[in-house]
Amino acid sequence: MSKEATVLFDIPGPQARARNRMLGVLVTVALAAVLAALIWRLAAKDQFAGKLWTPFTEWTVWRHLIIPGLLNTLKAAAVATVLALLFGIVFGLARLSDHWWIRLPAGAVVEFFRGIPLLILIFLAFFVPNKISPAIAESQFGQLQRVSVDYFFSIFGVESNAGVVTVPAFAAVVFGLTMYNGSVLAEVVRAGVLSIPKGQSEAAYSIGLRKNGVMRLVLLPQAITVMMPAIVSQIVVLLKDTALGFIIAYPELLQAGFKQVPANYSNNVLQAGIVVAVIYIAINMSVSRLATWLEARSRRSRKTEAKTMGTGGPPPVAGVGITQQGAAPV
C-alpha cells in the first residue's frame, strides 16, 4: 500500500477485509443475476436469432453503410479536434492577457459558447445562414459575406448561390463541435497555465525573458503535461458528440449503423446498437491509449539526468589531485 493511501485511509483489519470480500461476492452475484435475467428476456424475445445478426457478417453492409459512416465520423472528429484545440489555445491564452480589451471579449466568447447546448449550435449553423444570408447580401456586408464564403468557408463545403448561403451537414457539425469543445478546452488551457507554480514565471522573468517567451518556453511546455488528461477526455467527448449529426442527416456512424441498417434488415435495432457501441468503445480506447503513450513519451523526453559533482565535469588536470579539503598539488 502506498504512503498516500495509508495517510488518507486506515489499513483494513481482518474483519474489514472479510466484510469487503463478502460485499464483493454479493455485488458480483447480484450483477450476474441481473445479466442472466436480461439474457433470458432477450432470448425469450428471439433477440439472439441468427437473422438479426447476419447483416453484420455481410461485407456489403460494412462497405456501403458502416465503414462510410465510420469514416465520416472520424473526418468530422479530426477536423473539429484540430480547430477546437486552436480555438482553446487562442482564447485560453487571451483570457490570461494583461489587457482588458483582449481578456474580457475572450471571456465573453468562451462563456457564451460553453452555455449553449451543442445540439442548438449545430441547428443554428445548419439553418440560420440560409435564412439571414439574403438580407446580408443586400446590405453593405454583402461583399464581406461573399468573400468569406468563397475564400474560407468553401473549404468546408459552404456554398453561396444568388446571395443564399447553404451550409452542409458536415460544416454544421464541425462548427458546433469546434465552438463548444473549443470553449471547454480554453478553460482547460487557462487552468493548466495557472496551475504552474508562480516561481517558474518569476525565474523566467529574472533572466530577461518577455511575457511571450515565458509563456512559450516555460509555462506552456509544463502545462501540457498537466492538461493532457483533460484534453484527452474532451477529445473523447467530441468524438462521441459527432453522433448528434444524425439529427441533421449527417451520414456518420450512428446514422448509418443504427438507423439505416435496422431499416433495411429485419429492424434489428438492438443488434445495431450493440455493434455501433462496440465500435465507439474501440475508437475511444484507441484514442486514450495513444494519448497515454504520447504523454509518457513527452515525460521521458523532458527528463534530464542529474550528474553528481565530480562525475560530469572535465577530466582532472595533470599534477593536480582533489582532496577532502579541496584542490591540492600531488
Side-chain angles (χ1 to χ4, degrees):
M1 184 174 291
S2 65
K3 294 182 179 180
E4 183 180 2
T6 58
V7 171
L8 296 178
F9 307 101
D10 291 333
I11 299 176
Q15 293 183 352
R17 288 197 295 269
R19 184 172 59 250
N20 292 339
R21 285 194 295 267
M22 180 63 66
L23 290 175
V25 171
L26 292 176
V27 171
T28 302
V29 171
L31 292 177
V34 171
L35 181 61
L38 178 62
I39 293 175
W40 180 78
R41 291 290 297 173
L42 292 176
K45 298 291 184 179
D46 291 331
Q47 291 300 313
F48 294 106
K51 66 177 182 179
L52 299 177
W53 296 92
T54 301
F56 299 103
T57 63
E58 297 178 4
W59 171 241
T60 304
V61 174
W62 288 86
R63 184 179 63 182
H64 294 292
L65 293 176
I66 297 179
I67 292 179
L70 176 60
L71 293 178
N72 288 332
T73 292
L74 296 178
K75 180 172 69 173
V79 175
T81 297
V82 173
L83 296 179
L85 287 173
L86 293 176
F87 184 98
I89 293 172
V90 171
F91 281 86
L93 297 181
R95 296 202 67 179
L96 297 172
S97 174
D98 296 331
H99 306 288
W100 66 268
W101 49 273
I102 295 178
R103 184 175 62 254
L104 294 183
V109 170
V110 170
E111 295 299 330
F112 175 78
F113 285 109
R114 281 180 64 199
I116 299 180
L118 175 57
L119 187 59
I120 293 180
L121 288 176
I122 294 175
F123 274 129
L124 291 176
F126 189 67
F127 294 107
V128 170
N130 185 268
K131 303 296 183 183
I132 66 174
S133 56
I136 296 177
E138 296 176 358
S139 67
Q140 63 269 29
F141 299 103
Q143 182 67 14
L144 177 61
Q145 174 179 275
R146 185 183 65 82
V147 172
S148 300
V149 172
D150 292 343
Y151 293 96
F152 179 72
F153 294 108
S154 60
I155 62 177
F156 299 102
V158 180
E159 298 179 349
S160 179
N161 186 12
V164 179
V165 176
T166 303
V167 178
F170 171 76
V173 171
V174 168
F175 173 82
L177 294 174
T178 299
M179 294 297 103
Y180 180 78
N181 293 281
S183 299
V184 176
L185 290 174
E187 288 298 285
V188 172
V189 171
R190 184 172 72 94
V193 173
L194 292 177
S195 69
I196 305 302
K198 191 176 180 181
Q200 297 287 323
S201 57
E202 292 176 348
Y205 284 124
S206 69
I207 62 175
L209 289 178
R210 296 180 180 271
K211 184 175 182 179
N212 61 346
V214 172
M215 185 67 68
R216 178 170 52 87
L217 301 175
V218 178
L219 297 182
L220 278 180
Q222 299 181 70
I224 288 175
T225 302
V226 178
M227 297 184 297
M228 186 62 71
I231 291 176
V232 173
S233 299
Q234 199 59 38
I235 291 175
V236 171
V237 171
L238 184 152
L239 180 61
K240 292 188 294 184
D241 284 345
T242 56
L244 293 176
F246 89 96
I247 298 293
I248 56 174
Y250 178 62
E252 42 76 48
L253 179 59
L254 188 65
Q255 167 78 12
F258 190 68
K259 192 173 182 180
Q260 295 185 21
V261 173
N264 293 280
Y265 296 93
S266 305
N267 195 28
N268 54 348
V269 176
L270 177 64
Q271 292 73 18
I274 292 175
V275 172
V276 171
V278 169
I279 295 174
Y280 272 114
I281 291 172
I283 297 172
N284 291 330
M285 290 182 64
S286 300
V287 172
S288 299
R289 291 295 298 271
L290 175 62
T292 302
W293 177 79
L294 290 175
E295 181 183 3
R297 186 172 183 272
S298 76
R299 285 180 182 273
R300 288 195 302 269
S301 65
R302 285 197 296 271
K303 285 183 179 179
T304 56
E305 187 176 341
K307 300 184 185 224
T308 57
M309 185 177 294
T311 60
V317 180
V320 177
I322 305 298
T323 65
Q324 292 182 352
Q325 289 77 20
V330 177

